[in-house]
Amino acid sequence: MVSIRTKFKGQSIETYVIYIILILAALAYIIPFLWLISGSLKSNTELFADPPVWIPSEPVWSNYVTAFQQFPFWLYFKNTLYICAMAILGGVLANTLVAYGFSRIEWKGRDALFIVVLMTMMLPFQVTMIPLFVLFQKFGWIGTFKPLVVPAFLGNAYFIFLLRQFFIGIPKELSQPAKVDGASEFRIYWQLTLPLSLPVIITVAIFAFTGAWGDFIGPLVFLSDNKLYTLSLGIQQIMSVNDPRWTLLMAVGVSMTLPVLVIFFLLQKYFIQGITFSGIKG
Amino acid sequence: MSSKTDRKNLRNGLLFISPWIIGFLLFTAYPLFSSLYYSLTDYNIINEPVWVGLDNYVKLFTGDSLFYKVLYNTLFMIVVGISVTTVGSVFIAILLNNRRIRGLAFFRVVFFLPTLVPLVVLSILWIWVLQPDNGVLNTILGFIGIEGPGWFSSPFWAKPAFVLMALWGSGQMIIIYLAGLQGISDSLYEAASIDGASSWRQVLHITIPMLKPAIVFNVITGMIGTLQSFAESFIITNGGPDGSTMFYSLYLYQNAFQYAKMGYASAMAWILLVIALLITLVLFKLSNGFKAEE
């Protein structure tokens, strides 16, 4: 009896300790966010005050208004949105086709070629970056959105992998009758496989969006015209001038993060699935 | 299966994957080999490449002292950064994977949120969190009587500052470890409990070995991510102070697009590729692939 009681007591102390550690860690994860939001609502004096101002005495909401007016926010926003839309469209269209070919049709050499797909995931972007720049320049694509948009329609190894894993799990019995009836592969892909695969398609769309939304090195290398800048690149360009208006930059930063957070909260399940899938089956 | 169906399937299969084939040939295979060719030339984009043999490689290893510094900085981020994030995220995942802990969904969201922040915003955020004088971290350290370092402005503390950023952004790893932990059968722990094994011993002898495939996966992807990491150092420190945050991809970018030394940068790119392959192979060999331990 005594031993059971001490054991129980020991466990509950352990539970408290775990809670304390988790709450402290959670605070450490949340505070930087709050610091950014607080900074975006400070006046310039408050921002540089030492000791720091935790909560702005009078939130300067006009930082947001000013930022949207001074910074070519809407232009950069429109550019970013266009690239994201293309990334989603291309990401879903091309990769579902490719993944279908790698999973629902049996042909010689398929699995060997799929290993090549997986291997390209390991290839650092820096290795192909310079020749791509030269190639795009020869095509006359530098100074247009094409270097960021066209590749999105030509397959992405990670998305192919995610979709293929899902397609493999669809029972053969579902597509067999259609095949016997003489339906073309494309019809089976379009009318049967895609509707069944909505969850993984949403996952791919989300990752295509967040990837393009926050991409920095792509726009930096390939978009030479400042009329084409994305939000990421635009913010960085403004940061690199002397003595930038930090409070305004923070306001833009908060505004740029918000859409991603909203999508995450609406579609959390798909995010988590997409990530665990790669980690466990990888 | 008749050979006629085989042929039809082959044709259909190739047709379906044709976007990838085009993309692979045009945007992966061709650039890969032309970068090998460029690495053997002197090339500034404006003039045609001039063949120089192995000169760029020789110069990198014998005539560029910054290159060794870059290698050291990058190795530091791989070894220290990945160790810290791995220990940190496994630790948090183990704490979260506890039946008696409520609010798992809440904590999971909190730890995942930082991974959603765009890199540029992440950079702004950390510049201000780590301000030496009135940043939030040094202020909190001040409360407990520690005088915080200069972080991004200190040659010694700038790399640890990037490690902190990596730790804050390791939510994906936590999610993967959590999924791995949830796959471990309870019976293993029950048997260990009956044998009187402490929680710590259970973690050491059951959890970690069972989690090994996920750890190997995260370490390899983390390593490749670290080798490619660019935006944060480009935006926050641009390699400074005193070259202490000049990481591999940053130096490569500078050579290519700021000094127009495309050949030299291409040689760096190929060395990067070889390094990534070597580390992956070694990790694979050491860990016996993705298999969980018996």
Side-chain angles (χ1 to χ4, degrees):
Chain A
M1 199 60 202
V2 172
S3 76
I4 287 171
R5 192 176 291 163
T6 48
K7 197 174 174 199
F8 177 76
K9 217 173 154 191
Q11 277 186 349
S12 69
I13 289 172
E14 199 180 296
T15 313
Y16 282 126
V17 172
I18 292 176
Y19 268 122
I20 290 169
I21 297 173
L22 281 177
I23 289 168
L24 285 179
L27 276 175
Y29 271 68
I30 291 174
I31 286 175
F33 275 106
L34 300 178
W35 196 246
L36 181 74
I37 296 169
S38 150
S40 76
L41 295 170
K42 284 176 185 169
S43 67
N44 232 20
T45 342
E46 276 179 325
L47 186 71
F48 290 98
D50 181 17
V53 174
W54 291 84
I55 297 163
S57 53
E58 227 174 289
V60 188
W61 295 103
S62 62
N63 279 345
Y64 283 79
V65 182
T66 319
F68 289 178
Q69 286 167 350
Q70 283 198 348
F71 180 79
F73 182 86
W74 298 109
L75 175 67
Y76 295 167
F77 177 67
K78 212 181 68 193
N79 293 341
T80 314
L81 219 54
Y82 171 74
I83 293 170
C84 286
M86 289 298 130
I88 294 174
L89 186 68
V92 169
L93 221 59
N95 295 308
T96 48
L97 278 169
V98 175
Y100 186 94
F102 273 121
S103 58
R104 305 299 296 181
I105 308 171
E106 268 176 55
W107 44 280
K108 213 177 155 207
R110 181 187 78 176
D111 296 341
L113 209 54
F114 188 67
I115 303 278
V116 179
V117 176
L118 293 181
M119 274 164 51
T120 62
M121 267 202 266
M122 309 278 291
L123 192 68
F125 171 66
Q126 278 75 11
V127 180
T128 52
M129 175 176 77
I130 293 166
L132 280 177
F133 180 82
V134 177
L135 190 70
F136 292 149
Q137 206 175 39
K138 281 186 186 142
F139 289 171
W141 286 5
I142 300 294
T144 74
F145 288 126
K146 283 184 190 133
L148 301 177
V149 167
V150 176
F153 285 83
L154 295 172
N156 169 304
Y158 175 62
F159 295 156
I160 296 170
F161 169 76
L162 272 184
L163 290 159
R164 177 181 172 272
Q165 292 298 108
F166 192 92
F167 289 173
I168 283 177
I170 300 174
K172 260 210 164 85
E173 291 75 40
L174 282 173
S175 53
Q176 209 53 41
K179 256 187 194 174
V180 173
D181 285 351
S184 70
E185 289 288 355
F186 187 80
R187 266 193 68 185
I188 299 173
Y189 154 80
W190 188 255
Q191 296 188 341
L192 206 111
T193 313
L194 286 194
L196 283 174
S197 312
L198 212 57
V200 68
I201 289 174
I202 294 174
T203 303
V204 167
I206 292 171
F207 285 132
F209 170 78
T210 52
W213 183 257
D215 183 21
F216 179 71
I217 193 167
L220 176 72
V221 173
F222 299 129
L223 299 179
S224 58
D225 182 349
N226 60 14
K227 283 192 206 65
L228 303 180
Y229 281 1
T230 58
L231 280 172
S232 280
L233 188 56
I235 293 177
Q236 184 270 331
Q237 295 287 322
I238 289 178
M239 276 172 78
S240 60
V241 303
N242 264 338
D243 201 16
R245 296 274 306 272
W246 283 105
T247 51
L248 304 189
L249 280 169
M250 289 176 174
V252 178
V254 172
S255 317
M256 196 189 160
T257 311
L258 215 56
V260 192
L261 295 189
V262 170
I263 291 174
F264 172 73
F265 280 112
L266 292 177
L267 301 167
Q268 204 195 122
K269 187 176 84 185
Y270 301 101
F271 269 92
I272 307 287
Q273 275 173 357
I275 292 160
T276 45
F277 226 51
S278 63
I280 299 307
K281 307 257 162 93
Chain B
M1 285 277 172
S2 68
S3 68
K4 203 180 155 205
T5 353
D6 278 352
R7 268 210 307 278
K8 198 179 127 210
N9 278 342
L10 180 64
R11 198 197 63 206
N12 278 332
L14 290 176
L15 211 59
F16 269 89
I17 69 160
S18 58
W20 176 78
I21 294 180
I22 297 169
F24 174 73
L25 293 177
L26 204 58
F27 298 141
T28 304
Y30 165 74
L32 187 64
F33 291 108
S34 48
S35 116
L36 184 60
Y37 165 68
Y38 290 148
S39 80
L40 303 169
T41 67
D42 190 5
Y43 184 33
N44 64 2
I45 284 266
I46 300 160
N47 302 312
E48 287 298 303
V50 179
W51 183 266
V52 294
L54 291 172
D55 273 13
N56 289 324
Y57 293 92
V58 173
K59 205 177 152 208
L60 273 167
F61 284 109
T62 58
D64 185 347
S65 58
L66 188 52
F67 183 63
Y68 283 100
K69 189 159 197 172
V70 166
L71 281 178
Y72 167 76
N73 290 341
T74 312
L75 196 69
F76 180 96
M77 289 307 291
I78 288 179
V79 175
V80 179
I82 293 180
S83 307
V84 169
T85 50
T86 303
V87 172
S89 52
V90 168
F91 180 66
I92 288 180
I94 288 175
L95 293 189
L96 282 178
N97 187 46
N98 190 318
R99 286 280 143 67
R100 283 166 288 156
I101 298 297
R102 300 192 173 273
L104 168 68
F106 167 78
F107 283 117
R108 200 168 59 172
V109 167
V110 167
F111 294 129
F112 187 73
L113 282 184
T115 66
L116 298 169
V117 180
L119 290 171
V120 175
V121 183
L122 188 82
S123 305
I124 298 182
L125 186 152
W126 279 93
I127 288 174
W128 286 92
V129 166
L130 295 182
Q131 277 294 322
D133 300 325
N134 71 345
V136 67
L137 183 59
N138 279 3
T139 305
I140 291 174
L141 286 176
F143 290 158
I144 50 175
I146 299 172
E147 197 186 329
W151 299 114
F152 292 125
S153 55
S154 145
F156 182 81
W157 286 101
K159 278 190 286 286
F162 280 104
V163 172
L164 267 185
M165 283 176 74
L167 183 66
W168 191 67
S170 60
Q172 292 219 1
M173 291 192 182
I174 297 177
I175 303 282
I176 290 174
Y177 289 135
L178 254 178
L181 289 171
Q182 281 157 2
I184 302 175
S185 150
D186 283 342
S187 58
L188 285 172
Y189 291 110
E190 277 156 21
S193 280
I194 291 166
D195 290 347
S198 66
S199 303
W200 171 241
R201 287 185 66 89
Q202 290 181 23
V203 165
L204 214 59
H205 294 287
I206 302 172
T207 315
I208 301 292
M210 293 297 289
L211 215 49
K212 211 189 72 182
I215 295 177
V216 175
F217 172 83
N218 276 336
V219 168
I220 291 178
T221 47
M223 183 266 301
I224 292 177
T226 308
L227 285 174
Q228 296 190 64
S229 134
F230 166 77
E232 302 94 310
S233 53
F234 177 77
I235 296 170
I236 301 178
T237 55
N238 201 18
D242 197 19
S244 62
T245 60
M246 186 65 87
F247 299 121
Y248 204 100
S249 292
L250 178 59
Y251 190 49
L252 195 160
Y253 172 87
Q254 289 192 344
N255 272 308
F257 294 105
Q258 286 172 356
Y259 313 136
K261 296 201 283 190
M262 296 289 177
Y264 199 62
S266 296
M268 280 191 71
W270 266 80
I271 295 169
L272 175 74
L273 182 61
V274 171
I275 294 175
L277 283 178
L278 277 180
I279 301 182
T280 308
L281 275 180
V282 169
L283 283 173
F284 237 77
K285 267 268 178 320
L286 283 180
S287 63
N288 199 14
F290 286 130
K291 289 187 202 75
E293 251 153 44
E294 298 296 319

